[in-house]
């Protein structure tokens, strides 16, 4: 429920009164002060001048009432020198706010002080002022002010009142009088309270609080050599007493809890000031790249979900981002409109030298990858924007702790604006050691959640594995497959995405060609034949790689059941990844991929032209959109930590204690190693005693006596 606030009636009434005066004054071309009479007790006051204020000047003077008539003198537009400063502030076309400020200090003068900037009497200001609104020499309105201001009392040491000097807590406790709990008042039985007078101390002088709480924080201990007298000192005292200053006592630091702690600054909403970059002696991974004029080398990057134009580039950290910007007019500044002099910069190479960025321009052949049409405005004129920067691709070549060269490929194009256009610009930076990209691993040794799944293609010539990625669809702009891009599969994150494929009537009549087209689009997502088991695979060892299982599509050779219908379209691609947690490294689970399977789901596509008959489609060029999707699912293989079952447990389930109420194997449970209620030696000894008692009862009991009698009779 919303909170509704109401202004007080006094404020509403005053505002209505001012608006009424504005309405009244403007048609008649007059001015008026509102309020026209003020009584002030402070050095600042303000009022409003309402009406036609153009050409109106304000004059201030001191006035006094006549002793006989009690009236103030006639109006005058001649200004006088006063102790007040007059300022005006235009509040609108027909309102001016008038400010008056006392230019004299309100400090009370000292005994021998005759300075005019202080008050000679406690009643510092007692005077009547009048402000006239004049046009030329004709007064139109006046403001009467009665000022009665008393002098202010300021402490002599006002500059140091807000500072409290604490003694060094290492040598003197902070609470020298802990029982002093009330400020500027005497606490009963607190003999160290400085607020207690001598008369108050006599009331409880014999009942002072003892010990450190009562302020006795430095009593001399008994082992001090100065505390023992010759009468009661023991024989060993001269040899074992301690000579130590009184500052070193057991109560030292009683209220001291450790080293001093500097206060942390509170949160601020101000933009943090970035420190100037320090020119690096050598580059290390993660250090910012610096230009020759000691500035950060910046490229637009994604920070907290937003594109930041001035983001510094970090050494050996690759990135690739896309920034979407909505345009209604041609861009005029970077990074969308870049000049050659802004891109060709000098960069410190980290070895004491300077290198230059090599720029190469390319024209965008297909601008649909960068543009998505927004709202079309037929009333606005068409704008042609030339040499718009669509992509900036940097390549940093490095060796050791330095950069050897930097190459930049700028993709430009011409954009036609007729309304609004969403422009997707691409920025990338890769660090190359020689000609190979410094690709990061996805874990060490096992995969970490959120890192890309590493795939590979075996090079038959070099017998080395070429790293690549497994991708799924990433639609952009209009969502069509022609403009869609791909995003890598991330370990541990299930995902589903897709794009739209426009199909015309002539396409639906060639089902075999349509199946091949869709199959090629889906096969382009996964071009690899191997997947890495761990996050840091060895490119030279085949034991770190697992074959990708591709499920063969079962395509029927029969044609569609009706014209304009195509079946067995591989419209959905399933990627299933089985992973297993093999170990823990510093508490972090290490996961390995055990298998990866790529399969397809078939669907039937049919054009809908009304009535369910494709012959009703009048225009053969009209197209309909059909979805093509891809998904990835991660399956965790459970870990079976228990021992394998024996053949007896598998065949004779009636002896399984987990399935039956009667458990014969646990008949002698206290004598087995599984019993942990007490030490094994004690349980074994008690068991032997029970066996002995059973045998004794059997020998000395009735059965043994009957056996002995039968033997005797025989």
């Amino acid at each position: 429920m919303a909170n509704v606030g109401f202004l007080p009636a006094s404020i509403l009434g005053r505002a209505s009164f001012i608006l009424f005066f504005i309405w009244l004054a403007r048609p008649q071309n007059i001015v008026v002060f509102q309020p026209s009479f003020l009584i002030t007790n402070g050095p600042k006051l303000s009022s409003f001048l309402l009406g036609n204020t153009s050409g109106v000047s304000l004059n201030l003077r001191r006035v006094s009432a006549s002793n006989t008539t009690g009236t103030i003198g006639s109006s005058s537009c001649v200004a006088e020198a006063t102790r007040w400063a007059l300022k005006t502030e235009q509040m609108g076309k027909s309102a001016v706010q008038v400010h008056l400020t006392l230019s004299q200090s309100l400090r009370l003068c000292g005994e021998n002080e005759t300075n005019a900037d202080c008050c000679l009497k406690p009643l510092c200001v007692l005077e009547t002022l009048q402000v006239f609104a004049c046009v030329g020499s004709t007064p139109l309105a006046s403001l009467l002010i009665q000022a009665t201001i008393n002098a202010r009392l300021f402490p002599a040491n006002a500059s140091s009142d807000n500072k409290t000097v604490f003694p060094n807590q290492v040598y003197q406790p902070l609470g020298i009088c802990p029982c002093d709990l009330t400020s500027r008042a005497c606490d009963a039985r607190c003999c160290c309270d400085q607020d207690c007078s001598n008369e108050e101390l006599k009331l409880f002088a014999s009942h002072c609080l003892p010990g450190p709480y009562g302020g006795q924080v430095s009593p001399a201990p008994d082992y001090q050599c100065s505390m023992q007298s010759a009468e009661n000192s023991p024989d060993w005292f001269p040899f074992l007493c301690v000579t130590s200053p009184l500052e070193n006592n057991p109560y030292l630091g009683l209220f001291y809890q450790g080293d001093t702690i500097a206060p942390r600054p509170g949160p601020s909403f101000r933009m943090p000031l970035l420190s100037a970059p320090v020119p690096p002696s050598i580059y290390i991974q993660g250090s910012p790249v610096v230009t020759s004029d000691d500035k950060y080398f910046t490229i637009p990057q994604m920070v907290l979900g937003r594109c930041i134009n001035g983001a510094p580039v970090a050494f050996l950290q690759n990135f690739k981002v896309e920034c979407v910007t909505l345009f209604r007019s041609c861009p005029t500044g970077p990074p969308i409109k870049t000049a050659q002099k802004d891109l060709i910069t000098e960069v410190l190479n980290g070895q004491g030298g300077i290198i230059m960025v090599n720029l190469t321009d390319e024209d965008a052949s297909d601008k649909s990858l960068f543009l998505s049409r927004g709202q079309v405005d037929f009333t606005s004129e068409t704008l042609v924007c030339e040499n718009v920067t669509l992509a900036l691709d940097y390549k940093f070549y490095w060796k050791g702790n330095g950069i050897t060269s930097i190459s930049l490929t700028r993709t430009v194009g011409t954009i036609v604006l007729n309304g609004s256009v969403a422009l997707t610009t691409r920025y990338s930076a890769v660090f190359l050691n020689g000609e190979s990209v410094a690709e990061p691993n996805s874990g060490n040794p096992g995969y970490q959640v959120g890192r890309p799944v590493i795939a590979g293609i075996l090079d038959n010539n070099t017998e080395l594995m070429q790293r690549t990625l497994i991708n799924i669809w990433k639609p952009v702009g209009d969502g069509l497959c022609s403009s869609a891009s791909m995003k890598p599969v991330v370990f541990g994150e299930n995902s589903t995405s897709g794009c739209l494929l426009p199909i015309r009537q002539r396409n639906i009549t060639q089902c075999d060609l349509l199946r091949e087209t869709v199959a090629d689009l889906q096969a382009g997502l996964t071009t690899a034949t191997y997947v890495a088991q761990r996050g840091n695979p060895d490119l030279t060892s085949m034991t770190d790689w697992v074959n990708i299982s591709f499920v063969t599509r079962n395509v029927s050779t029969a044609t569609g059941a009706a014209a304009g219908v195509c079946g067995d379209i591989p419209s959905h691609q399933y990627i299933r990844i089985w992973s297993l947690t093999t170990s823990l490294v510093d508490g972090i689970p290490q996961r390995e991929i055990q298998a990866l399977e790529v399969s397809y789901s078939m669907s039937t596509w049919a054009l809908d032209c009304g009535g369910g008959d494709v012959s009703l489609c009048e225009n053969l060029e009209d197209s309909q959109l059909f979805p093509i999707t891809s998904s990835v699912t991660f399956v965790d293989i459970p870990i079976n930590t228990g021992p394998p079952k024996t053949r007896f447990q598998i065949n004779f389930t009636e002896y399984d204690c987990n399935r039956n109420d009667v458990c014969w194997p646990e008949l002698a449970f206290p004598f087995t190693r599984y019993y942990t209620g007490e030490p094994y030696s004690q349980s074994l000894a008690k068991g032997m005693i029970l066996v002995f008692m059973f045998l004794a009862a059997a020998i000395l009991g009735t059965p043994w006596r009957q056996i002995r009698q039968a033997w005797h009779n025989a």
Side-chain angles (χ1 to χ4, degrees), residues 379-399:
T379 60
S380 62
E381 60 178 351
T382 302
L383 300 177
V384 179
C385 307
E386 298 180 351
N387 296 327
V388 176
T389 302
L390 304 178
L392 293 176
D393 299 315
Y394 287 85
K395 291 183 179 180
F396 295 83
Y397 296 89
W398 64 279
K399 181 179 181 182

Side-chain angles (χ1 to χ4, degrees), residues 221-292:
D222 295 337
Y223 54 78
Q224 284 278 7
C225 296
S226 59
M227 293 302 296
Q228 295 291 340
S229 61
E231 291 78 11
N232 57 359
S233 60
D235 297 338
W236 50 264
F237 184 76
F239 302 99
L240 299 179
C241 67
V242 177
T243 301
S244 176
L246 294 179
E247 289 78 10
N248 187 11
N249 61 80
Y251 300 100
L252 180 64
L254 183 63
F255 298 91
Y256 181 63
Q257 301 295 334
D259 200 358
T260 57
I261 300 175
R264 293 183 178 180
S268 175
F269 294 98
R270 297 180 179 179
M271 182 177 296
L273 297 177
L274 297 178
S275 59
V278 179
S281 56
I282 58 173
Y283 285 117
I284 61 175
Q285 184 176 6
S287 60
V289 179
V290 182
T291 60
S292 59

Side-chain angles (χ1 to χ4, degrees), residues 148-332:
T148 305
I149 306 174
N150 294 312
R152 307 290 174 86
L153 297 178
F154 299 98
N157 55 348
S159 59
S160 61
D161 275 357
N162 58 351
K163 296 181 180 179
T164 303
V165 179
F166 292 103
N168 193 338
Q169 301 179 44
V170 178
Y171 304 103
Q172 183 178 359
L174 178 63
I176 58 175
C177 189
C179 59
D180 185 7
L181 303 178
T182 308
S183 177
R184 295 186 298 275
C186 180
D187 293 276
R189 298 185 61 191
C190 185
C191 297
C192 60
D193 193 347
Q194 301 296 326
D195 299 320
C196 297
S197 62
N198 294 330
E199 290 76 11
E200 292 171 337
L201 289 175
K202 292 178 181 179
L203 299 176
F204 48 81
S206 59
H207 301 281
C208 295
L209 294 172
Y213 185 74
Q216 302 173 11
V217 296
S218 299
D222 295 337
Y223 54 78
Q224 284 278 7
C225 296
S226 59
M227 293 302 296
Q228 295 291 340
S229 61
E231 291 78 11
N232 57 359
S233 60
D235 297 338
W236 50 264
F237 184 76
F239 302 99
L240 299 179
C241 67
V242 177
T243 301
S244 176
L246 294 179
E247 289 78 10
N248 187 11
N249 61 80
Y251 300 100
L252 180 64
L254 183 63
F255 298 91
Y256 181 63
Q257 301 295 334
D259 200 358
T260 57
I261 300 175
R264 293 183 178 180
S268 175
F269 294 98
R270 297 180 179 179
M271 182 177 296
L273 297 177
L274 297 178
S275 59
V278 179
S281 56
I282 58 173
Y283 285 117
I284 61 175
Q285 184 176 6
S287 60
V289 179
V290 182
T291 60
S292 59
D293 53 353
D294 295 339
K295 294 182 180 180
Y296 290 123
F297 184 78
T298 59
I299 301 175
Q301 299 180 46
M302 191 73 67
V303 179
L304 298 178
R306 297 182 58 187
C307 282
I308 304 299
N309 294 335
V313 178
F315 185 66
L316 295 184
Q317 290 187 1
N318 304 335
F319 65 88
K320 184 177 182 180
V321 298
E322 296 180 355
C323 299
V324 180
T325 308
L326 185 64
F327 284 101
R328 296 184 181 273
S329 60
C330 294
T332 58

Side-chain angles (χ1 to χ4, degrees), residues 670-673 675 678-689:
F671 304 101
T672 62
R673 295 281 185 179
Y675 177 66
E678 55 187 349
Y680 180 72
S681 59
Q682 294 184 11
S683 61
L684 182 61
K686 293 178 181 179
M688 297 300 294
I689 293 175

